[in-house]
Amino acid sequence: MKALVLSGGAGTRLRPITHTSAKQLVPVANKPVLFYGLEAIAEAGITEVGIIVGDTAPEIREAVGDGSALGIEVTYIPQDEPLGLAHAVLIARDFLGDDDFVMYLGDNFIVGGITGLVDEFRTDKPDAQILLTQVPNPTSFGVAELDADGRVAALEEKPKEPKSDLALVGVYLFTPAIHEAVRSIEPSWRGELEITHAIQWLIDQKRDVRSTTIRGYWKDTGNVTDMLEVNRTVLESVEPFQEGADVDADSEIIGRVRIEPGAKVSGSRIVGPVIIGARSVISGAYVGPFTSVSEDVRIEDSEIEYSIVLRGASIAGVRRVEASLIGRDVEVTPAPRSPSAHRLVLGDHSKVQISS
């Protein structure tokens, strides 16, 4: 069995971060979200992995390499344009051959991995198996309609009037039957080959399409709110660690706090769960729960919690920061007291909230 991981796409909902970084490489608890999916695939016993890449291919290649560090063997498959999930299957035909495979969206996060799902698929061998979960906003997802026996009756992509609240999770399992399906469908109104249409084709052809409704935690990390929520979930299980870090006697460390080697903490209060990356400096600051601070960050005379701070950022003299995603090499400083004005240099699609 093989795996096909989708790591193309522009990541428009995470701009401006994704103007300069692949959305799948934005870190959750200081590890790229893509790595959680690749690790789940390896844990399920799948080692041959094809990764669909687009404009951010150089970044993905640099981060993942040949996959050996993650226990997998990676083949990169270029996709010139993000033309839909079914298009990704179409262009991966040579890599996939006649093997069964799991398709995993690289910006999705599932607690507990996919080993049980893969084992179930290997045992029962339906033509396709999809994951479903109940969501409060089904119009934003592909939605499944089940019949009275709980079988998949129909699928619809982002319906205006959804017939259920069961959204498709970004993990699919297929036999080679899916290849005929993706060749048989036409592009949607969005100009994309939709995987929901391909699976619907299998249903219409009376093929065996099954579903598993998951009750555990799942998130599509495509926007800042969900990224922060996933970060919170992962930090819940962080283990305390301070070996190799420099924490002075004037600092207070409370709860589950991981401080990586080379980090320095002085005159500060850190309340976990928190991760402080290597070589970061925390001075005269408060770092509150559910915060991930990447490597080489400086936080001085400031307060921050429930946030993600990326590599090389600096926060100095800021009274309070929360529920924020701060990009690489960003500088956050207070405005001058006089004249009373805000001075901003913001990238495209930025969002700013200012206390007046």
Side-chain angles (χ1 to χ4, degrees), residues 285-308:
Y286 167 76
V287 180
F290 308 117
T291 301
S292 292
V293 176
S294 222
E295 65 272 18
D296 301 307
V297 169
R298 297 188 70 89
I299 301 177
E300 300 176 341
D301 189 27
S302 300
E303 299 179 2
I304 184 169
E305 69 176 44
Y306 193 66
S307 294
I308 298 173

Side-chain angles (χ1 to χ4, degrees), residues 202-217:
L202 291 175
I203 295 170
D204 295 341
Q205 298 297 313
K206 309 301 182 186
R207 305 302 288 262
D208 187 5
V209 177
R210 303 186 187 183
S211 69
T212 299
T213 301
I214 63 172
R215 307 297 179 188
Y217 186 85

